[in-house]
Amino acid sequence: MIKGKWESYQMEGNIISVLKEKLKLLKADLKVWNRKVFGSVESDKRRIEMEIESLDGEDDIDALEDAGRLRRLDLLSQLGLVNKKLDSVYRKKARVNWLKHGDFNSKFFHSAIRWRRLKNEVKGVEVDSQWCKEPEVVRREAKSLFKKRFRATQDFGVHLGSVEFRSLPSEVSRNMVVSFSEEEVKDAV
């Protein structure tokens, strides 16, 4: 599609201006093609959400039949797919934005760093049902939380109950830890 469109643009003039104009035309054609092939994902999402909402309204007054319930399940799966598509598009747009403005000493870069710092900051903790912002108390509580969470125990939390495993007879298991002679190795080889 792209190759055909590119070759159909007939222009003359400076090679740079021809390239610029062809890219503009290709961008417009790609937008039309995208709309035709994929549709508008945002409008699909709104339409699906409105239909789910109307089915939920019917269900609230017990007027929803089995066919309506099946339709609602189908719409929910469609909504999941649409959300995945939108998520992918937003991730790609964010990546393009980062590549365009990312590591430069720009307003975008500093706002991204500030947002991440604020998101990761621990502003306080709840101690004995009271919110506390004092740095020393926050440090102490964080340390005790991690000590509790990552404490080594003899019990690894795996309990098999009454499950019995087949085991080797005691004589065979003893023979597995007995040292072997050089002659035994030569015979085995």
Side-chain angles (χ1 to χ4, degrees):
M1 180 254 169
I2 293 175
K3 188 175 181 180
K5 286 289 186 180
W6 187 264
E7 290 171 354
S8 72
Y9 306 140
Q10 299 298 321
M11 297 176 187
E12 292 187 22
N14 183 346
I15 194 161
I16 297 297
S17 61
V18 168
L19 177 66
K20 179 183 151 196
E21 291 304 316
K22 279 188 168 187
L23 286 173
K24 275 186 186 178
L25 291 171
L26 184 63
K27 181 180 178 180
D29 286 338
L30 280 173
K31 283 184 178 183
V32 170
W33 172 81
N34 183 40
R35 230 176 278 117
K36 191 182 343 173
V37 172
F38 296 107
S40 174
V41 180
E42 278 98 1
S43 65
D44 287 348
K45 181 178 179 175
R46 282 192 299 274
R47 180 190 54 79
I48 291 170
E49 285 174 340
M50 286 173 43
E51 196 170 342
I52 289 173
E53 195 174 309
S54 74
L55 289 171
D56 284 346
E58 287 180 34
D59 195 26
D60 287 344
I61 58 171
D62 293 329
L64 191 62
E65 309 232 345
D66 288 340
R69 292 181 202 286
L70 290 174
R71 175 70 181 145
R72 185 178 181 281
L73 287 174
D74 182 49
L75 287 170
L76 286 172
S77 69
Q78 287 178 24
L79 183 63
L81 292 173
V82 167
N83 282 335
K84 270 188 181 176
K85 285 181 185 177
L86 280 174
D87 189 39
S88 173
V89 167
Y90 293 149
R91 244 186 283 122
K92 288 174 184 170
K93 284 183 178 181
R95 177 78 176 137
V96 166
N97 199 14
W98 182 260
L99 290 173
K100 189 175 180 182
H101 303 288
D103 285 337
F104 295 119
N105 190 13
S106 65
K107 183 178 177 182
F108 173 79
F109 173 74
H110 288 286
S111 66
I113 297 298
R114 187 173 35 257
W115 175 81
R116 182 171 285 169
R117 188 180 310 124
L118 289 172
K119 185 179 144 220
N120 292 335
E121 182 180 37
V122 177
K123 294 175 180 43
V125 292
E126 191 172 314
V127 180
D128 299 325
S129 302
Q130 285 207 324
W131 186 254
C132 183
K133 292 182 180 179
E134 294 176 39
E136 191 56 42
V137 175
V138 172
R139 276 191 213 104
R140 187 179 64 238
E141 288 299 315
K143 189 175 179 181
S144 79
L145 170 80
F146 282 103
K147 270 186 177 177
K148 278 190 245 173
R149 173 102 10 127
F150 298 110
R151 179 179 62 233
T153 61
Q154 293 298 323
D155 180 19
F156 293 108
V158 178
H159 301 285
L160 299 174
S162 62
V163 176
E164 291 186 27
F165 294 98
R166 293 188 311 173
S167 60
L168 295 172
S170 60
E171 187 173 316
V172 174
S173 62
R174 269 195 307 272
N175 285 339
M176 295 190 74
V177 292
V178 170
S179 40
F180 46 87
S181 69
E182 190 175 325
E183 285 180 20
E184 288 177 315
V185 172
K186 285 181 181 177
D187 289 342
V189 171

